Amino acid sequence: MTENSPTPRYRHGEPCWADVQTRDVDAAKAFYAAVFGWTFKDLPTPDGRSYAKAFVGEDLVATVAPQNPHQEAQGTHAQWNIYFAAEDAAGLAEDVPHAGGSAQFGPEEVGDTGVMVFVDPPGGGTTGVWQSGTHTGTGRYNQPGALSWTELLTPEPQAAVGFFQQLFGHEVTEYPQDDGGTYSTLMVNGAEVAGIVAAEAPARWQIYFGVSDVADAVRKAAAAGADVLIAPESDEDDAPGATATLKDPQGGVFSLLEV
């Protein structure tokens, strides 16, 4: 990621954006405002509903969007999506089958903001791809209230690693785990940008947002109606790197990372 301008620009293969699709945009806004202090700007959708841009200060950090009609009909819970920056989203989509995955949606031009694609790596874990136009991605990264990390939990971790290597050219570092497995990190220009780890199906992305105090953020989230799925590991919650995992009142799962 380059930060030599007021708006960060993300390199090919770096996570650059996250958004949530939810049944009730207003309720989600109230919840995430309570947890992260986000402020919002509402904008119309083509079908007459609205979505909300979320800000920390003056920096755009996420979007809260309504579910599509299929998701509503299926009663799908809220879902956080992660997007990786791409130099050529359409060209990348053409390469997806050769990497062992499948293209799920797009490429679609989103006005002048960019081009969007959704792909599935082998084993699952739908992944957004974003070719930037006027919208380059989150205005803050690894800061309180902003996207700070993401990891793919998948039953086919090695196949997923190969998929991302082929599409984005990621380098990989592997860390042995106590259970005999491996935690792999995808790297861009020598920097770790995302993780991949073995987990039971269905595959899913775990998205982390930064907070200055993970214990305080968990208390705020619980008071606003969240379920605490994984509490901070110890009472020493002020240590950098402490994490917790929550489910928002509409079922959207996300994690906190103390930064």
Side-chain angles (χ1 to χ4, degrees), residues 10 17-19 32-40 53-64 80 138-149 207-214 217 220 254-259:
Y10 295 87
W17 182 245
D19 62 24
Y32 287 102
V35 178
F36 297 125
W38 286 350
T39 59
F40 298 92
K53 291 183 175 181
F55 295 84
V56 174
E58 296 183 354
D59 295 321
L60 177 63
V61 294
T63 299
V64 180
W80 276 100
T138 177
R140 300 189 186 194
Y141 188 86
N142 202 29
Q143 297 182 37
L147 176 65
S148 295
W149 183 248
I207 298 176
Y208 292 76
F209 289 94
V211 292
S212 57
D213 184 328
V214 71
K220 290 176 179 176
F254 65 101
S255 292
L256 306 174
L257 173 64
E258 195 155 288
V259 296

Side-chain angles (χ1 to χ4, degrees), residues 57 90 92 115 126 138 185 191 194:
L92 184 145
V115 180
T126 300
T138 177
T185 60

Side-chain angles (χ1 to χ4, degrees), residues 60-209:
L60 177 63
V61 294
T63 299
V64 180
Q67 292 181 330
N68 61 45
H70 176 73
Q71 291 169 324
E72 289 185 328
Q74 295 295 315
T76 306
H77 58 70
Q79 177 70 50
W80 276 100
N81 302 306
I82 189 70
Y83 297 80
F84 283 73
E87 296 171 353
D88 178 1
L92 184 145
E94 293 179 356
D95 291 337
V96 166
H98 306 294
S102 58
Q104 297 297 320
F105 176 84
E108 180 173 291
E109 293 186 5
V110 187
D112 64 353
T113 64
V115 180
M116 178 171 59
V117 173
F118 278 98
V119 303
D120 273 3
T126 300
T127 306
V129 177
W130 184 254
Q131 178 186 334
S132 66
T134 58
H135 174 58
T136 61
T138 177
R140 300 189 186 194
Y141 188 86
N142 202 29
Q143 297 182 37
L147 176 65
S148 295
W149 183 248
T150 189
E151 58 195 17
L152 178 63
L153 288 66
T154 173
E156 299 185 28
Q158 291 307 310
V161 167
F163 174 82
F164 285 97
Q165 283 185 296
Q166 186 164 338
L167 288 187
F168 292 103
H170 288 123
E171 299 173 343
V172 176
T173 297
E174 295 188 343
Y175 298 94
Q177 302 294 287
D178 292 339
D179 62 3
T182 299
Y183 187 96
S184 301
T185 60
L186 306 177
M187 304 179 69
V188 175
N189 286 3
E192 295 177 329
V193 298
I196 297 178
V197 65
E200 294 182 357
R204 61 213 180 270
W205 282 100
Q206 194 70 32
I207 298 176
Y208 292 76
F209 289 94

